[in-house]
Amino acid sequence: MKPVWLGPKRAARLAERFGTPTYAYSAKILRGRCRAMTRAFPATQIRYAMKANANPTLLRRIRAEGIGVDTVSRYEVRLAKELGFARKDILYSGNNPDNEELDAVHRAGVMLNLDALSSLRRYGARFPNSPVSLRMNLEIGAGHHPHVVTAGPDSKFGLSVDDLPEAEAIARRFGMRIVGLHQHIGSGVFELDLFLRAMEPLIQLLPRFPALEFVDVGGGFGVPYRDDEADIDLEHWGQQIRARIGRAVADLGRPLRLAIEPGRYLVCEAGVLVTRVTTVKRTQDRTFVGVDSGMHHLIRPALYQSYHPLTAWPRREGTPERCFVVGPICESGDVLAEERTLVAPEEGDLVVIANAGAYGYAMASHYNLRARPAEVLVDGDAMKRIRGRERYRDLVRAGDLRPRG
Ligand code: LLP
């Protein structure tokens, strides 16, 4: 296992200063991942899929590395613009947008990447003569869990090749220029061959669209969570993907920009969730390590049976036990780590859950009326709160319920 970047001393200092549970992000790892991406994909429009983690401070840092954003809702677009992302560096790829959302994104001056004939028709009718991008579903999907496979026959995403004549007719009717072709096959992909194979049918479509300015092959770059998973060779991925698109552009005989939209790869390993053990309970055959965070803060283990590496501080001596790290939520699925053989931590110890920077805070909820944690940026020796811990009033603000106190 890669050592957790937040060691015992700094973890204790962080917990002391900001309390627990807290999401902590390493500025150094974030920067490293962004630079690895920009190095592997020169002359490419890189747009970070901000659904993975939309903390404004992290977004600013990502922008400073010359990376744009892939957005999926009008509020993601709004936040991106408020943080200074240029319109040309924002793409909207929302799924099943209503008309209000089409209006809001169009008003924001951002390019829409649409994936249903209905959305295209409604967008064209409302805003004739707009440029537009098409999201395709070309049969090959992939991902670490069925829930995150976003192409293939069972997927709700994308237009099929059979939809294209109608899509082109709609575009003609409303004077829309099809300037982008896009696909995203899924999340957590480790096989370069599969990724390249999935690009082929997209590449076959390029000559069909004379006004095309970019081809976007999506995100999904895998990050290892388990000991038996290895880092992908990003340089090699970059070379191969760029080479294939380079050949396609040469055949095409007109310029075309490559675009990608990694989410997890940039933020996953930068983030840890620092929790404190509240309760240790031993039953006949297992040890429950109850911590002050759970599925409401990190739903990935409950939702996808995802494995997250973890470390407990301080190191304890003793006999390893069959530990289950669980939270305070009233569901038996409220598990952060299933069956780990380790020396059980004691009440008051810290459990640091790694690889929590992507789809961690972003998917947190208020289930059981529990508050979301604080977020802290660790930059060398400096630690800075970049989002406050929620309080009662943050949870009941909705609707006409006026909290008192
Ligand atoms: N582009 C589009 C259109 C997407 O839908 C996604 C992710 C991405 C890019 C970025 O994919 P990435 O590079 O992060 O793999 N909550 C799940 C992941 C869901 C991903 C959804 N779409 C998880 O925790 O594993």
Side-chain angles (χ1 to χ4, degrees):
M1 179 181 137
K2 288 185 191 168
V4 170
W5 61 263
L6 189 69
K9 285 213 186 80
R10 279 200 305 177
R13 191 149 64 84
L14 184 137
E16 174 76 20
R17 203 164 137 202
F18 302 101
T20 57
T22 289
Y23 272 102
Y25 304 106
S26 157
K28 185 174 159 199
I29 296 178
L30 176 67
R31 195 161 46 236
R33 284 299 173 160
C34 290
R35 292 189 184 169
M37 193 56 78
T38 50
R39 248 195 335 267
F41 286 93
T44 303
Q45 172 96 57
I46 305 171
R47 299 191 192 97
Y48 164 60
M50 66 183 276
K51 65 172 82 68
N53 188 322
N55 180 285
T57 302
L58 303 188
L59 283 166
R60 269 198 206 93
R61 296 215 167 201
I62 290 169
R63 183 174 64 87
E65 297 297 328
I67 294 174
V69 273
D70 164 58
T71 62
V72 288
S73 71
R74 77 193 85 165
Y75 289 165
E76 283 194 357
V77 170
R78 179 169 164 181
L79 177 60
K81 286 193 70 190
E82 281 176 11
L83 294 173
F85 285 93
R87 288 171 191 181
K88 66 170 180 42
D89 294 331
I90 307 175
L91 181 69
Y92 166 84
S93 295
N95 184 233
N96 301 327
D98 59 20
N99 289 340
E100 261 176 49
E101 180 136 316
L102 295 176
D103 293 356
V105 177
H106 181 83
R107 267 201 312 275
V110 164
M111 169 84 62
L112 285 84
N113 177 40
L114 297 174
D115 80 338
L117 294 174
S118 157
S119 325
L120 194 63
R121 207 174 283 123
R122 286 183 284 126
Y123 185 53
R126 301 170 91 74
F127 305 104
N129 307 316
S130 303
V132 72
S133 167
L134 300 183
R135 176 174 181 167
M136 302 302 301
N137 176 349
L138 300 167
E139 306 292 326
I140 296 187
H144 68 79
H145 186 276
H147 290 354
V148 303
V149 174
T150 50
D154 299 333
S155 173
K156 68 168 181 160
F157 298 100
L159 292 161
S160 70
V161 174
D162 294 344
D163 289 327
L164 282 180
E166 179 61 17
E168 287 162 319
I170 295 168
R172 266 195 308 277
R173 185 172 342 135
F174 297 113
M176 302 162 99
R177 264 180 313 126
I178 297 171
V179 298
L181 267 193
H182 167 281
Q183 78 172 6
H184 170 73
I185 61 171
S187 192
V189 182
F190 285 89
E191 304 82 22
L192 175 59
D193 281 353
L194 179 70
F195 197 91
L196 290 169
R197 237 183 313 126
M199 281 167 46
E200 285 308 315
L202 191 67
I203 288 170
Q204 302 314 318
L205 292 174
L206 302 179
R208 182 164 175 167
F209 297 95
L212 218 53
E213 292 167 11
F214 68 89
V215 55
D216 186 333
V217 297
F221 305 92
V223 171
Y225 288 70
R226 294 178 185 270
D227 285 345
D228 60 0
E229 290 170 337
D231 281 307
I232 62 169
D233 181 348
L234 193 68
E235 285 283 328
H236 184 59
W237 279 59
Q239 277 163 12
Q240 296 288 310
I241 293 170
R242 286 187 302 112
R244 181 64 193 95
I245 295 294
R247 286 200 304 278
V249 172
D251 291 346
L252 205 58
R254 48 188 157 90
L256 188 65
R257 193 131 201 242
L258 169 64
I260 56 169
E261 41 193 44
R264 185 189 316 270
Y265 196 87
L266 300 187
V267 290
C268 177
E269 291 173 307
V272 296
L273 176 58
V274 183
T275 71
R276 200 181 283 283
V277 180
T278 61
T279 315
V280 177
K281 179 193 277 185
R282 293 184 169 86
T283 63
Q284 217 164 30
D285 68 342
R286 50 183 72 184
T287 299
F288 287 107
V289 177
V291 297
D292 56 6
S293 182
M295 67 188 295
H296 54 314
H297 296 156
L298 181 64
I299 202 174
R300 303 191 70 262
L303 192 57
Y304 317 118
Q305 290 75 52
S306 295
Y307 176 98
H308 282 258
L310 62 82
T311 309
W313 304 121
R315 281 253 177 270
R316 298 281 177 194
E317 301 289 322
T319 316
E321 297 173 52
R322 200 168 158 245
C323 292
F324 290 70
V325 180
V326 295
I329 296 296
C330 296
E331 291 212 25
S332 294
D334 180 23
V335 175
L336 289 172
E338 185 105 18
E339 188 148 14
R340 304 287 169 94
T341 306
L342 45 99
V343 178
E346 295 177 14
E347 293 179 5
D349 288 359
L350 297 176
V351 172
V352 178
I353 298 165
N355 280 16
Y359 306 107
Y361 193 98
M363 295 178 82
S365 75
H366 291 154
Y367 190 34
N368 283 197
L369 215 53
R370 289 193 178 275
R372 288 184 296 183
E375 292 182 291
V376 167
L377 185 70
V378 179
D379 200 352
D381 280 336
M383 294 183 184
K384 190 173 140 215
R385 183 187 293 110
I386 55 174
R387 178 142 38 199
R389 183 178 308 288
E390 288 179 329
R391 289 189 277 175
Y392 177 71
R393 64 161 183 261
D394 300 311
L395 276 64
V396 296
R397 198 171 37 197
D400 55 6
L401 212 187
R402 294 263 153 76
R404 294 155 204 259

Coordinates of all heavy atoms in Angstrom, one line a residue, residues 296 329 365-371 392 395-396:
H296 N -22.6 8.9 4.9 CA -23.1 10.2 4.6 C -22.0 11.1 4.1 O -22.2 12.2 3.5 CB -23.9 10.8 5.8 CG -23.1 10.8 7.1 ND1 -22.4 9.7 7.5 CD2 -22.9 11.8 8.0 CE1 -21.8 10.0 8.7 NE2 -22.1 11.3 9.0
I329 N -24.5 6.1 11.0 CA -25.8 6.1 10.3 C -26.6 4.9 10.6 O -26.1 3.8 10.7 CB -25.5 6.3 8.8 CG1 -24.8 7.6 8.5 CG2 -26.8 6.1 7.9 CD1 -25.6 8.8 8.8
S365 N -24.0 13.7 2.0 CA -25.4 14.1 2.1 C -25.7 14.5 3.6 O -24.8 14.4 4.5 CB -26.3 12.9 1.8 OG -26.3 11.9 2.8
H366 N -26.9 14.8 3.8 CA -27.3 15.2 5.2 C -28.1 14.1 5.8 O -28.9 14.3 6.8 CB -28.2 16.5 5.2 CG -27.4 17.7 4.8 ND1 -28.0 18.8 4.2 CD2 -26.1 18.0 5.0 CE1 -27.0 19.7 4.0 NE2 -25.9 19.2 4.5
Y367 N -28.0 12.9 5.3 CA -28.8 11.8 5.8 C -28.7 11.6 7.3 O -27.6 11.8 7.9 CB -28.3 10.5 5.1 CG -29.2 9.3 5.3 CD1 -30.5 9.4 5.5 CD2 -28.6 8.0 5.4 CE1 -31.3 8.3 5.7 CE2 -29.4 6.9 5.6 CZ -30.7 7.0 5.8 OH -31.5 5.9 6.0
N368 N -29.8 11.3 7.9 CA -29.9 11.3 9.4 C -29.7 12.7 10.0 O -29.4 12.8 11.2 CB -28.8 10.3 10.1 CG -29.2 8.8 9.9 OD1 -28.7 8.0 10.6 ND2 -30.1 8.5 9.0
L369 N -29.9 13.7 9.2 CA -29.6 15.1 9.6 C -28.3 15.2 10.3 O -28.1 15.7 11.4 CB -30.7 15.5 10.6 CG -31.1 17.0 10.4 CD1 -31.5 17.4 8.9 CD2 -32.3 17.4 11.3
R370 N -27.3 14.8 9.6 CA -25.9 15.0 10.0 C -25.2 16.0 9.1 O -25.4 16.0 7.9 CB -25.2 13.6 10.1 CG -25.7 12.7 11.2 CD -24.8 11.6 11.4 NE -25.3 10.8 12.5 CZ -25.0 11.0 13.8 NH1 -24.3 12.0 14.2 NH2 -25.6 10.2 14.7
A371 N -24.3 16.7 9.7 CA -23.6 17.8 9.0 C -22.5 17.3 8.2 O -21.9 16.2 8.5 CB -23.1 18.8 10.0
Y392 N -26.1 23.1 12.5 CA -27.6 22.9 12.4 C -28.3 23.8 11.4 O -29.0 23.3 10.6 CB -28.2 23.1 13.8 CG -29.7 22.9 13.8 CD1 -30.2 21.7 13.7 CD2 -30.5 24.0 14.0 CE1 -31.6 21.5 13.7 CE2 -31.9 23.9 14.0 CZ -32.4 22.6 13.9 OH -33.8 22.5 13.9
L395 N -28.3 22.9 7.8 CA -29.0 21.7 7.4 C -30.5 22.0 7.2 O -31.2 21.3 6.5 CB -28.9 20.6 8.4 CG -27.7 19.7 8.3 CD1 -26.4 20.4 8.5 CD2 -27.7 18.5 9.2
V396 N -31.0 23.0 8.0 CA -32.5 23.2 8.0 C -32.8 24.5 7.2 O -33.9 25.0 7.3 CB -33.0 23.3 9.4 CG1 -32.9 21.9 10.1 CG2 -32.4 24.4 10.2

